[in-house]
């Protein structure tokens, strides 16, 4: 039984790892396809090294590009792989251009799709990620939801068949790796930081980086905060700052993109996290850190409802006010499962693939028995 896993961007390497391990433990032959959407060592190779992610069987090396070009390149290159490998299932995750390209190609080849992190919505179709999610969910045969909210959202859209609430594989990854990260990472001490004495920030969303006014507002806001801030810079943000001639000042320290162990240690020891990342919002919740989301909306609305995440947008006065005054409640409901989402996904997919194979066999038998009738020709 063969399944192709498509990965391409940083969060996909992290999310894929627990699922890969569980699939392989369940006896599935997994073929790992890296689209090459992210390619710098700090954005890609470092995660395979930290997490022990299986090395890609294929690297399509598509690199960066405009939305259509990047998506189109992945489509063309992944098609050849799927035709060669003939998997029973193609697994895509999240909402990147690698996700939509993997899903679209599989759909056109009539290969069933599994979408991990299905049903998330920001309800803002200006985001490329929203388009990617909606299309992947429309095409998927098996949909794995991180939360009950996502499962309900799929039902609202009429998608119930094959939809499961399994929990968040990002939570699995954190539980599996936190003990190792604590012993291996020295980043907090290396940066001269005191646990609980700094805040952690990440910014990379197109809505914040491609819009000079929003980026400038964020630079102004963070530079004015009277607390040490560590900001691992996504290459997209680094390029946008250069483009606009902007620099962080005050107590903001920008560093290279962090590896997974370093990142989780920066998160675990921070007083507060401020981010526009989907994954970092959830990780703040897993680690019980107050989170300010530097956006006007979020897919992770349950963390806001629970009182642990606050949408602050980019206005400097709003951010300054929330920075020292936002205080989550004592209670924290378990929103993201029990840390065994990957195992559940693996077993559901295995069963699904077995059914597919049986159905294929039934169809082949039916075609054979209903085939052309042999007519005796008398000599
Ligand atoms: C992508 C995803 C986004 C996800 C993010 C995770 C889409 C539409 N967006 O956004 O959902 O949250 O990944 O980080 O798929 N770059 C490098 N080196 C790299 C990778 C990127 O320099 O290894 C630079 C390039 O200038 C590139 C830019 O970053 O143009 C943006 O990269 P891209 O993959 O297009 O989008 P992300 O912003 O990373
Ligand atoms: N991450 C990391 N190093 C960084 C920034 C993020 O390891 O410098 C991890 C983070 O802990 C989370 C994931 O990358 O697990 C989130 O990815 P990202 O913010 O790039 O994308 P998103 O989740 O918004 O799609």
């Amino acid at each position: 039984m063969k399944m192709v896993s498509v990965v391409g961007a940083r969060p996909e390497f992290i999310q894929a790892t627990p699922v890969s391990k569980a699939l392989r433990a369940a006896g599935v032959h997994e073929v790992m396809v890296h689209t090459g959407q992210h390619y710098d060592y700090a954005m890609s190779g470092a995660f395979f090294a930290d997490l022990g992610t299986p090395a890609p069987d294929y690297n399509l090396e598509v690199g960066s590009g405009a939305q259509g070009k990047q998506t189109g390149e992945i489509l063309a290159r992944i098609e050849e792989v799927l035709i060669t490998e003939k998997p029973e299932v193609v697994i895509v995750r999240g909402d990147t251009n690698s996700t939509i390209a993997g899903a679209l190609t599989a759909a056109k080849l009539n290969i069933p799709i599994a979408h991990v992190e299905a049903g998330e919505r920001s309800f803002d179709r200006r985001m490329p990620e929203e388009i990617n999610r909606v299309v992947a969910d429309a095409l998927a045969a098996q949909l794995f939801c991180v939360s009950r909210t996502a499962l309900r959202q799929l039902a609202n859209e009429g998608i119930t068949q094959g939809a499961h609430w399994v929990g968040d594989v990002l939570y699995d990854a954190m539980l599996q790796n936190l003990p190792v990260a604590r012993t291996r990472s020295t980043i907090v001490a290396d940066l001269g930081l005191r646990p609980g004495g700094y805040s952690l920030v990440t910014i990379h969303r197109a809505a914040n980086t491609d819009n000079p006014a929003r980026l400038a507002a964020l630079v102004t806001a963070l530079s004015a905060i009277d607390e040490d801030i560590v900001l691992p810079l996504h290459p997209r943000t680094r390029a946008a700052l250069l483009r606009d001639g902007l620099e962080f000042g005050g107590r903001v320290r920008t560093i290279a993109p962090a590896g997974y162990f370093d990142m989780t240690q920066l998160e675990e020891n921070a007083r507060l996290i401020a981010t526009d990342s989907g994954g970092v919002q959830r990780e703040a919740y897993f680690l019980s850190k107050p989170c300010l989301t530097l956006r006007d909306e979020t897919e992770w609305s349950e963390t806001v409802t629970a009182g642990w995440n606050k949408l602050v947008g980019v206005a400097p006065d709003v951010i300054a006010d929330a920075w020292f005054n936002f205080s989550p409640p004592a209670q924290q409901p378990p929103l993201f499962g029990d840390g065994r989402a990957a195992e559940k996904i693996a077993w559901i997919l295995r069963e699904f693939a077995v059914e597919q194979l049986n159905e294929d066999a039934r169809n082949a038998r039916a075609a054979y028995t209903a085939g052309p009738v042999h007519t005796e020709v008398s000599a």
Side-chain angles (χ1 to χ4, degrees):
M1 176 185 309
K2 191 191 276 184
M3 301 188 193
V4 161
S5 272
V6 180
V7 294
R10 174 167 66 187
E12 294 170 321
F13 311 135
I14 300 164
Q15 291 168 359
T17 306
V19 180
S20 279
K21 289 181 181 162
L23 285 174
R24 288 162 198 240
V28 172
H29 174 192
E30 184 194 36
V31 176
M32 182 73 89
V33 178
H34 187 328
T35 65
Q37 179 173 345
H38 285 179
Y39 44 86
D40 290 345
Y41 182 77
M43 296 296 289
S44 171
F47 294 91
F48 287 80
D50 267 5
L51 298 165
T53 316
D57 298 284
Y58 295 86
N59 191 324
L60 308 181
E61 295 181 348
V62 295
S64 302
Q67 293 293 315
K69 185 171 186 305
Q70 187 178 56
T71 308
E73 287 288 342
I74 305 173
L75 269 166
R77 296 183 198 189
I78 213 165
E79 186 171 51
E80 287 175 31
V81 175
L82 296 186
I83 289 170
T84 307
E85 293 290 345
K86 299 182 182 54
E88 269 79 56
V89 178
V90 170
I91 307 170
V92 296
R93 53 210 98 234
D95 54 19
T96 68
N97 289 343
S98 299
T99 312
I100 192 177
L104 209 47
T105 315
K108 285 178 179 274
L109 292 171
N110 292 322
I111 304 169
I113 299 152
H115 186 204
V116 179
E117 210 183 283
E120 297 303 332
R121 298 288 180 270
S122 66
F123 304 102
D124 180 358
R125 293 258 171 124
R126 288 169 304 177
M127 289 177 73
E129 290 87 355
E130 185 75 352
I131 314 283
N132 296 345
R133 291 179 201 118
V134 168
V135 173
D137 285 343
L139 298 177
Q142 293 291 302
L143 303 100
F144 297 106
C145 296
V146 161
S147 67
R148 288 182 193 279
T149 318
L151 192 67
R152 269 197 301 273
Q153 178 56 33
L154 288 178
N156 290 343
E157 295 176 19
I159 304 171
T160 50
Q161 204 183 348
H164 317 270
W165 175 55
V166 289
D168 194 350
V169 292
L170 202 58
Y171 185 42
D172 297 16
M174 177 154 286
L175 292 182
Q176 289 170 17
N177 289 290
L178 211 46
V180 187
R182 283 177 186 143
T183 58
R184 292 230 195 124
S185 170
T186 55
I187 191 159
V188 174
D190 293 348
L191 291 174
L193 298 166
R194 189 173 50 78
Y198 68 94
S199 289
L200 175 69
V201 176
T202 77
I203 299 166
H204 77 276
R205 286 279 150 213
N208 284 337
T209 55
D210 292 3
N211 180 329
R214 284 183 74 92
L215 189 61
L218 282 169
V219 170
T220 305
L222 297 173
S223 303
I225 301 284
D226 191 13
E227 182 180 39
D228 286 335
I229 292 176
V230 181
L231 201 171
L233 261 191
H234 190 291
R236 175 185 207 112
T237 316
R238 185 177 294 281
L241 291 168
L242 270 175
R243 176 198 68 206
D244 296 347
L246 293 168
E247 264 181 46
F248 286 99
R251 296 176 69 180
V252 181
R253 175 140 30 135
T254 57
I255 59 170
Y260 185 73
F261 293 158
D262 283 345
M263 185 65 183
T264 51
Q265 282 316 282
L266 285 171
E267 290 174 336
E268 191 172 31
N269 289 290
R271 179 190 69 79
L272 172 99
I273 294 176
T275 187
D276 60 9
S277 156
V280 176
Q281 284 175 67
R282 275 130 74 206
E283 287 171 344
Y285 194 84
F286 307 156
L287 292 165
S288 303
K289 297 292 167 183
C291 182
L292 302 181
T293 291
L294 306 165
R295 292 174 53 189
D296 302 327
E297 77 297 302
T298 180
E299 301 78 36
W300 308 99
S301 56
E302 52 280 80
T303 59
V304 177
T305 309
W308 282 80
N309 187 2
K310 188 175 167 68
L311 289 172
V312 293
V314 298
D317 54 338
V318 179
I319 293 175
D321 181 52
W323 205 270
F324 293 107
N325 295 323
F326 175 55
S327 167
Q331 303 295 328
Q332 208 192 18
L335 299 173
F336 296 111
D338 59 4
R340 297 180 64 194
E343 274 174 61
K344 290 172 194 163
I345 290 170
W347 284 103
I348 293 170
L349 281 185
R350 195 174 182 282
E351 217 165 279
F352 173 74
V354 168
E355 276 165 26
Q356 289 292 304
L357 287 168
N358 287 342
E359 197 180 316
D360 288 351
R362 270 196 301 277
N363 289 342
R365 203 164 41 242
Y368 175 74
T369 49
V373 177
H374 178 71
T375 316
E376 289 291 330
V377 180
S378 50

